[in-house]
């Protein structure tokens, strides 16, 4: 592979002071085959000590800065009114401009708190609809208990790689208008995911945020942000949306949030911490804040710690200050764009353009020789692990397809992606080179696979099967041959 040093014409935003060993670098491919078999081909059941490069998720897996670690020593662990909460609260007020802040232990708790609060207020009723550019797994798990959920991708996303539009994470306004017209007064909440994790990690434009916000105001629909990757989204607005070129990331973030009534937030992503979250409300929504607060007390802890230690809140407050700096984001997204470019050069079919936190492979296209009902993305996930010890995740049929009670696919999901989610500030370019090298090997053998996987015993058919379902290999011989030839 040719390296173009012009891809790195920026100064890296950090250097490394502490290291963590990788134990499994010399694991034989044969051993990985055994481990896969023991784990029923579900990578969530593999020990991290048996993983060489862990691209399973960017959630809670980042490396904190020395400023975050030292802030943790200042943690005030008081049950009520901790000074660490004050800092936590102020950081969301200062950076996002939101007024009312509830702490929770992670993103899904934030969603649950919001939905219970909105139900209590009578905003979410039995026949309500929540619209999104796309719900992620656990968000869908909670939201669908309170309302009908609709994914309203934009036309550019649906056109796939036929178009290279910059903001394929947008929610198509015309689709929202249609949904609202067909269901008068039923669409009570729009939850916009920045960036769109289910949809290839694609960002949402400020233009789209503004037009949705205007429309929701006119129609009296609450407009909330799933803010997991808000800073990465702001970076794309800066570098891809011309009129924001000269604004700072912090200015863009402030403006983004100003169009929303509130937000759910998993601090495990763009606050660069290992645990934490919050629910945020604008100055106009003290009512929703007060309705949600008892659910924090009941499920998370008092509303000045919400399931976090004081030290965790210190790390979050410092973290969102750092991730909203351009130099951090340039380094972060630059690394992912480099990997994206390299895998594209090898010939791996990817989602274009590159998204924020991950590179997405189109397994439908890459393993098109395998029947669509045989979990191509999960088969590819297993192959990637077996060849190089790289752990990644499927976002496709096992998560979203319609299935019968035994796990047979009745209606395939819209997409069948493999996501390589890159943890923040954890891996160096050498690690990325290793990954590229594994993909060069894999590319030579992937077409040897003839069959995929089926779901084995213990299937529940709920929103969380991908975390613990058992797969069975349909063609052991060809799988082992491709792994052993690819190693
Ligand atoms: N919303 C989005 C868009 C997410 O990506 C996630 C988590 C959540 C909500 C829930 O947050 O994990 O803190 O409860 N995504 C992780 C992932 C797990 O791998 O993408 P959480």
């Amino acid at each position: 592979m040719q390296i173009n040093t012009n891809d790195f014409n920026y100064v890296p935003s950090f250097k490394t002071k502490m290291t963590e060993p990788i134990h499994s670098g010399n694991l034989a491919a044969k051993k990985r085959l055994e481990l896969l078999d023991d784990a029923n081909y579900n990578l969530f059941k593999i020990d991290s000590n048996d993983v060489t490069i862990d691209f399973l998720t960017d959630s809670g897996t980042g490396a904190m800065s020395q400023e975050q670690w030292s802030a943790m020593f200042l943690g005030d662990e008081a049950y009520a009114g901790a000074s660490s909460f004050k800092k936590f609260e102020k950081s969301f007020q200062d950076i996002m401009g939101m007024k009312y802040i509830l702490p929770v232990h992670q993103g899904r708790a934030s969603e649950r708190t919001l939905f219970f609060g909105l139900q209590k207020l009578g905003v979410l009723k039995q026949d309500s609809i929540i619209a999104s550019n796309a719900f992620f797994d656990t968000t869908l798990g909670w939201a669908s208990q309170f309302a009908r959920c609709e994914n309203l991708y934009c036309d550019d996303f649906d056109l796939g790689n036929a178009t290279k539009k910059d903001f394929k994470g947008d929610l198509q306004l015309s689709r929202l208008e249609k949904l609202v017209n067909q269901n008068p007064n039923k669409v009570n909440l729009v939850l916009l995911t920045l960036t769109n994790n289910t949809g290839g990690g694609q960002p949402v434009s400020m233009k789209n945020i503004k037009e949705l916000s205007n429309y929701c105001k006119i129609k009296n629909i609450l407009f909330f942000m799933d803010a997991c990757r808000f800073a990465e989204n702001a970076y794309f607005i800066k570098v891809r949306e011309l009129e924001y070129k000269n604004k700072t990331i912090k200015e863009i973030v402030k403006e983004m949030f100003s169009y929303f009534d509130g937000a759910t937030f998993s601090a495990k992503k763009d606050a660069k911490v290992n645990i934490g979250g919050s629910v945020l409300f604008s100055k106009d929504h003290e009512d929703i804040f007060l309705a949600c607060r008892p659910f924090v007390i009941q499920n998370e802890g008092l509303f000045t710690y919400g399931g976090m230690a004081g030290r965790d809140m210190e790390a979050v407050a410092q973290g969102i200050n750092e991730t909203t700096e351009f130099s951090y984001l340039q380094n972060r997204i630059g690394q992912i764009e480099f990997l994206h470019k390299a895998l594209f050069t090898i010939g791996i079919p990817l989602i274009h353009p590159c998204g924020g936190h991950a590179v997405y492979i189109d397994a439908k296209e890459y393993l098109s020789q395998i029947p669509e009902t045989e979990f191509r993305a999960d088969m590819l996930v297993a192959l990637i692990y077996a060849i190089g010890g790289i752990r990644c995740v499927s976002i496709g049929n096992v998560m979203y397809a319609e299935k019968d009670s035994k796990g047979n696919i009745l209606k395939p999901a819209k997409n069948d992606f493999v996501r390589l989610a890159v943890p923040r500030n954890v891996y160096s370019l050498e690690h990325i080179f290793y990954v590229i090298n594994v993909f060069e090997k894999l590319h030579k053998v992937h077409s040897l696979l003839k069959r995929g996987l089926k779901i084995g015993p213990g299937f529940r058919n709920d929103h969380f099967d991908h975390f613990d379902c058992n797969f069975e290999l349909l063609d052991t011989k060809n799988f082992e041959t491709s792994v052993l030839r690819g190693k």
Side-chain angles (χ1 to χ4, degrees), residues 284-421:
D284 303 324
H285 289 296
E286 190 183 10
D287 55 337
I288 312 180
F289 163 71
L290 291 175
C292 290
R293 196 161 66 179
F295 295 103
V296 173
I297 303 173
Q298 192 172 12
N299 295 306
E300 301 287 298
L302 195 73
F303 44 80
T304 56
Y305 74 88
M308 283 176 286
R311 55 182 173 272
D312 297 328
M313 294 190 281
E314 296 276 346
V316 171
Q318 175 63 27
I320 58 172
N321 236 309
E322 292 175 16
T323 57
T324 46
E325 284 299 320
F326 183 70
S327 57
Y328 157 77
L329 287 163
Q330 192 178 35
N331 197 102
R332 156 95 179 131
I333 311 276
Q335 189 183 48
I336 295 164
E337 282 177 339
F338 178 75
L339 176 62
H340 187 272
K341 199 166 157 186
L343 297 192
F344 175 64
T345 309
I346 294 172
I348 317 276
L350 306 174
I351 306 313
H352 296 273
C354 181
H357 60 300
V359 174
Y360 287 70
I361 301 171
D362 185 353
K364 218 187 240 187
E365 186 181 332
Y366 200 43
L367 296 186
S368 58
Q369 76 276 19
I370 293 178
E372 184 164 29
T373 50
E374 294 183 2
F375 299 97
R376 290 160 169 159
D378 296 276
M379 190 68 260
L380 185 57
V381 163
L383 185 66
I384 295 167
Y385 175 72
I387 290 181
I390 301 164
R391 171 158 70 173
C392 43
V393 77
S394 72
I395 298 190
N397 280 329
V398 68
M399 226 179 235
Y400 297 127
E402 243 178 78
K403 304 176 205 74
D404 68 14
S405 59
K406 293 212 163 75
N408 300 306
I409 295 179
L410 302 173
K411 185 170 170 241
K414 185 180 177 73
N415 299 294
D416 210 12
F417 294 145
V418 169
R419 184 189 73 173
L420 310 178

Side-chain angles (χ1 to χ4, degrees), residues 435-448:
V435 172
I436 296 165
N437 191 269
V438 169
F439 271 90
E440 278 168 348
K441 291 178 186 161
L442 177 132
H443 195 54
K444 295 189 184 123
V445 297
H446 74 284
S447 57
L448 298 177

Side-chain angles (χ1 to χ4, degrees), residues 57-59 106-108 111 136 138-139 193 197 226 228-229 266 268-269 419:
T57 179
D58 64 319
S59 180
Q106 66 179 89
R108 63 203 71 181
E111 294 147 15
F136 197 56
T138 51
T139 318
T193 315
N197 193 13
D226 177 337
C228 286
R229 299 176 180 88
S266 164
K268 299 173 74 174
K269 286 83 168 171
R419 184 189 73 173

